[in-house]
């Protein structure tokens, strides 16, 4: 087997500085700086999410047909960290991302198959607040957002064995953040926006349909 040491395969943007930005104390983006800057914060979801190609079994390499023992199979397996955007903050506002656990996209075991102790997340909603309003509340759920983007999904596309748990039994209770699993992959179905304490935007969503050909 060939083993690679840990390495960075992606870099996360943590800040965007305006042309007028001045870091007064040399301590990075803070409220006492001059000019415009946007800060992006992340949260770590997993330290060792398993991935494998192929997901089960191995790729067969026949090589030389003249040698009956010269038959090999290969697969690639590794683990990686999973990070998600938590907050995006400017001088005047802050966007907060809320996630829930997916019913597909599970990690892989080294020997192949689903590792259902590891899962990915989906975005439930993104809430935009004014900073004074958000910071005034110790309990952030009491803050009133300027605008909220809501996302609704199902599991209707790509039906089949794609790292998806079996659909819920009809008798199973689903929590408020969950939805029925049809046996496919996470599929965005609807996006709508609400403003302040008004929920009127829910009646005029953007609906998504997909060409199945």
């Amino acid at each position: 087997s060939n083993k690679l040491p840990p390495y960075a395969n992606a870099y996360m943007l943590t800040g965007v500085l305006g042309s007028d930005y001045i870091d007064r104390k040399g301590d990075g983006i803070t409220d006492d700086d001059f000019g415009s800057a946007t800060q992006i914060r992340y949260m770590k979801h997993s330290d060792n999410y398993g991935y494998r190609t192929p997901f089960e079994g191995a790729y067969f390499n026949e090589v030389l047909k003249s040698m009956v023992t010269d038959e090999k199979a290969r697969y690639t397996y590794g683990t990686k960290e999973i990070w998600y955007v938590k907050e995006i903050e400017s001088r005047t506002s802050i966007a907060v991302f809320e996630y829930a656990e997916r019913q597909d996209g599970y990690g892989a075991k080294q020997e192949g198959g689903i590792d259902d102790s590891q899962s990915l997340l989906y975005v439930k909603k993104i809430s935009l607040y004014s900073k004074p309003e958000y910071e005034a509340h110790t309990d952030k759920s009491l803050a009133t957002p300027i605008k909220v983007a809501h996302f609704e999904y199902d599991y209707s596309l790509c039906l089949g064995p794609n790292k998806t748990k079996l659909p819920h039994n009809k008798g199973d209770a689903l929590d408020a953040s969950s939805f029925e699993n049809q046996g496919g992959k996470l599929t965005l179905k609807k996006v709508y926006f609400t403003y302040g304490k008004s929920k009127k935007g829910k009646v005029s969503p953007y609906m998504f349909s997909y060409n199945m050909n």
Side-chain angles (χ1 to χ4, degrees), residues 123-138:
V123 181
K124 286 179 60 179
K125 62 183 180 180
I126 304 172
S127 303
L128 179 66
Y129 300 88
S130 70
K131 279 182 67 174
E133 167 69 13
Y134 190 73
E135 293 172 351
H137 293 81
T138 303

Side-chain angles (χ1 to χ4, degrees), residues 21-30 32-34:
Y21 175 75
I22 299 175
D23 188 353
R24 292 181 60 209
K25 297 180 180 179
D27 55 355
I29 301 173
T30 53
D32 61 356
D33 294 338
F34 296 129

Side-chain angles (χ1 to χ4, degrees), residues 139-209:
D139 182 354
K140 303 305 182 185
S141 65
L142 299 178
T144 300
I146 299 170
K147 181 179 181 179
V148 181
H150 304 262
F151 303 87
E152 294 189 4
Y153 311 83
D154 65 13
Y155 293 93
S156 57
L157 293 186
C158 303
L159 300 176
N162 47 35
K163 295 200 293 183
T164 303
K165 277 186 175 181
L166 294 175
H168 284 280
N169 295 321
K170 294 300 182 182
D172 289 348
L174 300 178
D175 62 46
S177 67
S178 187
F179 41 89
E180 191 67 36
N181 183 354
Q182 295 93 343
K185 291 186 177 180
L186 189 75
T187 306
L188 180 64
K189 301 295 290 185
K190 185 187 300 185
V191 177
Y192 65 91
F193 300 90
T194 55
Y195 300 86
K197 296 182 179 180
S198 172
K199 306 300 181 184
K200 292 181 179 179
K202 190 172 183 178
V203 301
S204 55
Y206 294 92
M207 307 286 288
F208 297 89
S209 59

Side-chain angles (χ1 to χ4, degrees), residues 55-136:
F55 186 67
E56 294 180 323
Y59 293 121
F60 177 60
N61 292 70
E62 191 172 38
V63 194
L64 300 175
K65 293 186 178 181
S66 60
M67 299 175 61
V68 296
T69 59
D70 195 8
E71 294 179 347
K72 299 180 180 180
R74 61 182 173 84
Y75 68 88
T76 300
Y77 173 80
T79 60
K80 61 182 178 179
E81 296 177 351
I82 301 294
W83 292 75
Y84 292 94
V85 175
K86 182 180 180 181
E87 297 172 345
I88 300 177
E89 180 179 341
S90 70
R91 182 172 292 279
T92 59
S93 59
I94 181 168
V96 179
F97 290 67
E98 184 176 335
Y99 299 90
E101 192 170 296
R102 292 172 59 161
Q103 298 177 30
D104 68 341
Y106 291 94
K109 298 178 181 178
Q110 184 166 359
E111 64 272 21
I114 292 175
D115 180 0
D116 59 11
S117 67
Q118 302 179 341
S119 65
L120 300 177
L121 304 178
Y122 67 86
V123 181
K124 286 179 60 179
K125 62 183 180 180
I126 304 172
S127 303
L128 179 66
Y129 300 88
S130 70
K131 279 182 67 174
E133 167 69 13
Y134 190 73
E135 293 172 351

